[in-house]
Amino acid sequence: MRGAEHLVWPAEESPLVYEDLLRIDDTLDEPTIGVMDRARVLAHLPRLAARGSRLHVTGIGGDHVAWCSEASYHRLLLRRPMLAIGRLRGFRALLHWPYGPMLRTLADRRSYRRWLTGSLADLRAPLPPPVTGALGWGVPPRLFPWITPDAGHMAAEVLAETAPYAEPLGADRGQHADLHAIHDTCRIIRQWDQMSVRAGLPMTSPFLDDRVIEACLSVRPQDRVTPWRYKPLLTAAMRGVVPEECLRRTSKAEASLDAAEGLRRHGPDVQALWADSRLARLGLVDTALLKDLTARPDTPELREAILYSTIGCEVWLRTLEPFDKEDGR
């Protein structure tokens, strides 16, 4: 950007996941997994504001609008079978999808409502292979092992009451998955923006502007997601704007190593959440299981960030109470 002042901070200065969980006192609309990265999101805002920045522009949302769900190929298989079969074979090789679950998911013609209703038979069943969620209506609802029987019973009752009336967000699985991901991200961004405003520098994420979303979703799914190219829509839009080296990327980083290091460093704070858990007081979680999992930061179970939503609920409940800054409780 011409005329811009480029400020670069060493990566090691950025806070890790799980930092300062005990000191969060933001009044938020709802529980959010965004609290996990709160310290990281806000860390550099004071220095940016001091240099004259009045609005912090982020790139959040690019993954959600410039890419799309492979579930779009469920519908394309009927409309353009030769294209879909070739692409699906590519996805299978790239993502190591097993044939059996892949073919069963592609053959499944249930409506969203029937799929959701059918998935409620056992909320504690193991999750199906990832390809089932990738090509289906989504990942079926499941309860974590630390959810108590009473809490599980309440969740099952609510889902059983609402599932018969559930409607998808789009006309097919791909549209539903894309809009669901955008909605979920926007909910997190809303909470981050509230935190950011309170820290003194408002945040904006233009990828999630309504008109940008509309423009991106107007592009055919097969031109947005393909096993042969990474984010082709974004690559085409940025040709001649960003360096070719960036446009040649075929993947992006993932944060499981940062999360593991964060849990090693801040594990005592997370354990403190469970030692005096508001969720446990309500009879919703088994803290013994949570303490055991928190004590194992490198376990493969945590690669899918399964602790985040529970911690988000725990922190949110604490923000509803008077806050003592001396002891962080």
Side-chain angles (χ1 to χ4, degrees):
M1 295 176 64
R2 294 177 182 175
E5 181 183 4
H6 292 266
L7 303 176
V8 180
W9 287 285
E12 57 268 21
E13 288 188 15
S14 184
L16 293 169
V17 182
Y18 303 103
E19 185 161 326
D20 281 343
L21 290 177
L22 293 177
R23 303 192 63 81
I24 295 176
D25 62 348
D26 301 284
T27 302
L28 304 176
D29 295 338
E30 61 179 348
T32 175
I33 65 171
V35 298
M36 309 303 304
D37 290 305
R38 178 185 181 275
R40 184 184 301 228
V41 169
L42 302 183
H44 304 305
L45 297 189
R47 281 188 281 183
L48 290 172
R51 300 299 285 262
S53 177
R54 292 175 295 172
L55 184 67
H56 182 48
V57 182
T58 85
I60 300 169
D63 286 341
H64 307 84
V65 299
W67 193 242
C68 76
S69 169
E70 297 89 355
S72 296
Y73 284 89
H74 183 269
R75 187 176 187 180
L76 279 171
L77 190 59
L78 295 178
R79 297 188 168 191
R80 300 191 61 184
M82 297 305 295
L83 169 72
I85 289 172
R87 297 282 182 87
L88 287 166
R89 290 179 64 187
F91 284 125
R92 179 180 177 274
L94 182 67
L95 302 173
H96 308 289
W97 287 344
Y99 258 127
M102 175 180 169
L103 294 176
R104 284 193 294 273
T105 306
L106 290 171
D108 184 358
R109 298 293 162 183
R110 288 179 297 172
S111 67
Y112 176 70
R113 187 177 299 171
R114 286 183 57 206
W115 166 80
L116 184 59
T117 303
S119 68
L120 305 182
D122 185 359
L123 293 177
R124 293 192 185 273
L127 281 172
V131 64
T132 303
L135 295 178
W137 284 107
V139 179
R142 290 292 187 268
L143 296 173
F144 294 121
W146 52 86
I147 302 301
T148 63
D150 286 345
H153 180 70
M154 288 189 288
E157 283 187 336
V158 171
L159 286 169
E161 290 173 1
T162 56
Y165 308 100
E167 296 288 346
L169 297 174
D172 58 45
R173 298 180 185 191
Q175 290 181 11
H176 171 79
D178 291 345
L179 291 171
H180 186 274
I182 290 169
H183 287 189
D184 267 5
T185 301
C186 287
R187 290 172 66 181
I188 297 171
I189 293 302
R190 174 173 171 77
Q191 313 307 322
W192 275 347
D193 184 48
Q194 292 174 1
M195 299 173 188
S196 181
V197 168
R198 187 180 177 213
L201 187 61
M203 173 189 297
T204 186
S205 300
F207 271 117
L208 296 172
D209 180 87
D210 286 351
R211 298 298 172 263
V212 177
I213 293 172
E214 290 172 1
C216 291
L217 297 191
S218 71
V219 179
R220 298 179 304 178
Q222 62 265 38
D223 294 329
R224 285 191 290 135
V225 60
T226 165
W228 318 127
R229 295 172 61 202
Y230 185 62
K231 295 185 184 177
L233 178 60
L234 193 59
T235 301
M238 293 293 103
R239 187 78 62 191
V241 178
V242 301
E244 283 295 317
E245 181 181 357
C246 296
L247 300 181
R248 288 194 295 268
R249 286 179 57 184
T250 58
S251 65
K252 62 175 289 183
E254 56 94 20
S256 61
L257 288 177
D258 276 359
E261 178 60 26
L263 191 53
R264 275 193 294 271
R265 190 175 301 179
H266 304 295
D269 284 353
V270 182
Q271 293 286 12
L273 290 177
W274 312 139
D276 187 23
S277 170
R278 276 54 168 179
L279 290 170
R281 292 183 194 177
L282 295 172
L284 301 177
V285 300
D286 181 339
T287 55
L289 293 176
L290 286 165
K291 289 176 181 177
D292 176 68
L293 187 59
T294 302
R296 295 182 286 117
D298 293 304
T299 179
E301 294 176 81
L302 293 178
R303 290 179 183 170
E304 301 301 323
I306 59 175
L307 278 175
Y308 286 15
S309 58
T310 304
I311 292 176
C313 291
E314 178 68 36
V315 169
W316 182 72
L317 286 173
R318 290 165 178 257
T319 64
L320 302 180
E321 304 170 350
F323 192 81
D324 184 346
K325 292 190 177 181
E326 291 301 319
D327 63 9
R329 294 174 62 183

